[in-house]
Amino acid sequence: MGSGFSSFFGICNTPAGPPVTGLGDLPESVVGPVLGYLNPQEICGVAALNRAFRAASSADFVWELKLPENYKSIISRVFADDDKFGSNLCKKDIYARLSRANSIDGDTKKVWLHKGTGKPCVLISFNSLTITGIADRRYWSRIPTDESRFHSVAYLQQIWWFEVSGEVEFPFAVGTYSLSFRLQLGRTGRRFGRRVCNCDRIRGWDRKPVRFQLTTSNGQKAVSECNLTSPGMWNLYHVGNFVVEDSKVPMKVKFSMMQIDCTHTKGGLCVDSVLICPK
């Protein structure tokens, strides 16, 4: 659609012959509904065409179409410490602020609007999860890294009983959402400025698959199993999907991953976060 509109604008703005009425003469009430069919990037692009499009591209009724229907509930959750947030902002600025990765709950979670759908994404740090043995340095360690949005990950050295679980309650907009764990086999670092991966401690993940599951506060469930593969690479391991049908009620989602066969040890795994995003 973007390229089609660009061609249309180019033709209509090409001077030829006597002065005629052009797109610049269209009122905002006409231009605005047209912009409602464009995505945010395209709206910002056509704002440079002329004064009429520049004015319409900042109109509240245009950007309200791009915000989730329950954006006020999302604002209340994300900016809980700022009672006056949004009172002096236009809808375009509200969209811009929500599109950033905003930290909540003591920087253990980040929330932003998905560029394609305008629905919220939630990223949950390992610091907000319950991890068996995390307090015992014989099993786990926290290592700093620039490969995580939270600047550190949990690294499993060796353990018999592997279990990670967590939950989140958030006012998701109506739609279908996917939940995944972000994991990596091996511990990465830098050597002479190059990324390297230490795979010495990787063990046990090829013996039995990891079991993932999620449940929601309205009774939805999903279960999946898979072997962890591809050492040295961050992967999103899909747990399942859930559907939000009522954006007025915050959805509570519980999730976990486990490999509790105690016949062998597991090790060499980095746990970064859990990602929930719209499909």
Side-chain angles (χ1 to χ4, degrees), residues 126-147:
F126 78 91
N127 283 309
S128 185
L129 306 179
T130 299
I131 302 177
T132 300
I134 188 66
D136 194 327
R137 296 185 63 181
R138 294 175 299 174
Y139 305 130
W140 290 89
S141 60
R142 292 174 170 85
I143 57 175
T145 176
D146 59 2
E147 297 183 354

Side-chain angles (χ1 to χ4, degrees), residues 249-268:
V249 180
M251 175 76 79
K252 179 180 287 188
V253 184
K254 296 183 178 182
F255 45 85
S256 66
M257 59 178 294
M258 62 182 67
Q259 215 275 43
I260 56 177
D261 182 350
C262 294
T263 61
H264 63 281
T265 60
K266 282 72 70 173

Side-chain angles (χ1 to χ4, degrees), residues 24 44 54 67 72 85 90 114 142 161 184 243 251 278:
C44 294
R54 184 161 54 251
L67 289 165
K72 292 182 180 179
F85 177 85
C90 65
H114 187 269
R142 292 174 170 85
W161 184 289
Q184 176 184 260
V243 178
M251 175 76 79

